[in-house]
Amino acid sequence: MPKTVKPRNPETSQSVHFKVGQVFRHRRYTYQGVITGWDVECAAAESWMSQMGVDRLSRGRHQSFYHVLVEDKSVRYVAEENIDDSRFDVSTSLMSLAGRHFKRWDEPSRTFISNIKDEYPDD
């Protein structure tokens, strides 16, 4: 199946605030993760949205959602309102894990440099 190209445009730039490679801390559960992809709004199945209570979030399903790699090696789907990109020390486990999926860590921007430019060319 061919990959969907998701370029940034005026619509996505206004609604998708974070980029592939950014590290964050989950506002509620406090785990650290790195963004590996995004959707302009929740693209999960209705059953998943119901099970996870997506419509009970303050911004519901019509906010950006992010595919993320978490320091415990899990892959999750996170609502934008739950992402805190404040500066913090990135855990050794996340550094090691993300280093296998990204080209390199860029200290000045505090982001991992993406190697999936074919899918997210502007991130």
Side-chain angles (χ1 to χ4, degrees):
M1 178 182 217
K3 292 182 179 181
T4 303
V5 177
K6 294 185 177 181
R8 297 247 176 195
N9 57 43
E11 176 193 343
T12 58
S13 292
Q14 287 182 12
S15 61
V16 180
H17 295 109
F18 303 108
K19 293 186 172 192
V20 171
Q22 279 189 266
V23 294
F24 71 95
R25 184 179 308 278
H26 193 281
R27 289 187 191 281
R28 182 173 181 187
Y29 300 115
T30 71
Y31 61 75
Q32 290 183 21
V34 60
I35 295 170
T36 59
W38 48 261
D39 295 313
V40 174
E41 59 182 34
C42 189
E46 284 292 328
S47 59
W48 184 89
M49 285 192 265
S50 177
Q51 180 183 8
M52 301 308 287
V54 169
D55 291 325
R56 290 191 308 265
L57 294 169
S58 65
R59 293 173 48 204
R61 66 177 66 195
H62 301 294
Q63 63 181 302
S64 298
F65 273 70
Y66 298 85
H67 302 273
V68 303
L69 180 61
V70 178
E71 61 191 329
D72 67 2
K73 300 181 182 175
S74 64
V75 175
R76 303 183 191 185
Y77 197 46
V78 180
E80 186 168 272
E81 70 185 62
N82 286 324
I83 291 181
D84 176 4
D85 68 337
S86 302
R87 290 185 72 89
F88 56 87
D89 290 332
V90 180
S91 71
T92 305
S93 58
L94 183 60
M95 266 302 181
S96 176
L97 182 61
R100 296 181 210 150
H101 298 274
F102 289 87
K103 283 183 185 178
R104 63 183 172 82
W105 169 251
D106 182 66
E107 184 61 40
S109 68
R110 297 191 44 80
T111 60
F112 287 96
I113 304 303
S114 176
N115 58 0
I116 53 173
K117 292 291 186 185
D118 56 330
E119 195 171 350
Y120 298 93
D122 304 316
D123 280 23

